[in-house]
Amino acid sequence: MQAGRPVPAPFSPPVSSVLTLDFERLRNKISTYLRPEDVGRVEAAYHFSANAHFGQFRVSGEPYITHPVAVTELVADWKLDPQALMAALLHDVMEDTSVTKAELAERFGKVTAELVDGLSKLDKIEFRSHEEAQAENFRKMLLAMASDLRVILIKLADRLHNMRTLDHMRPAKRRRIADETLEIYAPIANRLGLNNLYREVQELSFMHKHPLRYQVLSKAIKAARGNRRELVGKVLTALEARLPQWGISAEIQGREKHLFGIYRKMLEKRLSFSQVLDIYGFRVIVPDVPSCYLTIGSLHALYKPVPGKFKDYIAIPKANGYQSLHTTLIGPYGTPVEVQVRTRAMHHVAESGVASHWLYKDDESSLSELHQRTHSWLQSLIDLQSASAEATEFLEHVKIDLFPSEVYVFTPQGHIMPLQRGATPVDFAYAVHTDIGNRCVASRVNGDLVPLRTELRNGDQVEIITASQAGPNPAWLSYVRTGKARAQIRHFLKNAQQDESVALGERLLNQALRAHGLNLGQISTFAWDRFLRDRGVRQRREIFADLGLGKRLPVIVARRLAEAQDLESGRPNVIKPKPASAVLIRGSEGAAVQLARCCHPIPGDEIIATIRKGQGLEVHVHDCAAVARLRSDRGRWIDVGWEPADGRLFEAAIRVLTIDKRGVLARVAAAISDAEANILNVTMDTDHAPYTALQFNVEVADRKHLARLIRNVRVQTAVTRVFRQKSEVKR
Ligand code: MN
């Protein structure tokens, strides 16, 4: 991507001749395996791209179109289909010119347009961090976003060509791109078994990242090659003489180690250059699998094997589908010699990995083996759980979903966050930090405000807006996906409830202490400690919470504390009871205080509360029918009062008797909202014709507000009676 960006023209070169030459070479290449009409379609894509990029130039000064053509040539080397070739030619037009996806779809078909669109999306995401875990996430994100294998192949070809033409960049930029290639693209190429590409991009990255080391190493290798020649010749002659004796027709290749591999080996194993170069390599290619084992047997008869070095990657292939037999022999002069033995088809996979599907698909003999290999490669990559995917199916439809259970998104800092598929901004917020989750109120995805329940997609850039006073909403539990978010939301809600219970418990106890002429502040530490020790409780807080939740009775705790206080002073407390006062409630304490659903108390009502075991206070209006029923249980009733109003609204129920007339409901509803009250819910009862009873649940500030509302409703025509409902309607 970066390496290929167009720059302003340094001069105006004669374009046409260069262009034609470029396409001629490509045409020759694709004519070997495409039908003439398909060659024509590719040529049309070429003209379109050349036109779109006309007037753009690479940093080298060449016309920009040379880049897509070169990328397409690489893709043609894999013998990819016409759609992929067209997409390779067009891969930068959406990014760099005004061409749209719809236009591409119309001209070159939907598949090609999808491929180009996929490539443009990959171009937009940027890799910024250099931690290893982040690199892994970034690779996964790339693979997840490229839902078609061909997109990845074209992307890798694009990167290879950019690496090949990196010379024209400034050194700092070269290093950065080389790093990115080593961290992101080389591992992907390796994973896909694209060995040749893998090696070349590594080699080029090494060259641009450490130019000096690269030079020194390549000189040393040239010098060492002379010494090698004799030994290599000896071994080759011996092998070539021996194998036919066993009836094996084999192709034997001397194997040159690549520079980056040598360099890495020196670094990792702390070897000197001569130690690394001492290892010689050969590759033996044979017609079939039995010949592989036969060859290894005859080699072991020829030279002694190094114990523990024999590896059977035929029986157990590598994750990227690679298969071969490996052994190390003790060659002439005691020099270790590495040998790889494989079939032709295995060789194809070893060189071109997943691309060998397109590359060798006419080669009948190796086709089924290839399918098997590529399939097992895919299996290992996506860890398919169902066996439903037929061995060849994925190759027919190259659509892939590599990480079906994950999604990768960016933080505003460019960090990549892996999340469960289906995750929302709330999950993201909790993944960043618990505090961010708890304070989250809104979110932006790719710059736009979105609802918190929005499902995130690969590559999204997510930003969370927080407010210091905010808290988690229980409704989030219905859509969060990650265990962390779920657990943290539950935890927070539970704690919040706990805090409320503690605060309420304190107030209840304070009130109960008045009967003993005390208040909480006067209870000594001695008395508290004694009280807690006797009950095996560690903290006062636990006692308060129990009181708030109704697990202990305030009158009893107050009495015991007063007794403990007396013990300390050594004389009985002369009780001077303070006048009892009500515990003040706001009505919004949450679980610790609940306004009874039967009578809907609102500020201004005289209220009374009952402590329900384990559930805190339930507040009723003093003349509620339920209170009358339960009144006998005196110990559990406490006087409560309202805290001053703070703008909060309370639910109340009113019943409106009307004469059934058209539009009466609308008029009553309008009268209610004229009184600035909210309607929560309305039900209608037409059993008593000609009267209709309307039951409204409304939200009001207090009694005065409700009185105003009732007056407003009463004056409506067709309304005969209005009254507040203080007990549940029995049907
Ligand atoms: Mn490009």
Side-chain angles (χ1 to χ4, degrees), residues 3-4 7 56-64 66-67 161-162 165:
V7 293
Q56 294 179 332
F57 297 88
R58 305 199 83 211
V59 178
S60 62
E62 289 173 289
Y64 193 79
T66 56
H67 166 66
H161 184 246
N162 284 335
T165 51

Side-chain angles (χ1 to χ4, degrees), residues 1 4-5 64 67-68 71 91-92 123 158 162:
M1 37 192 170
R5 282 282 150 274
Y64 193 79
H67 166 66
V71 172
H91 80 266
D92 279 331
D123 250 10
D158 179 35
N162 284 335

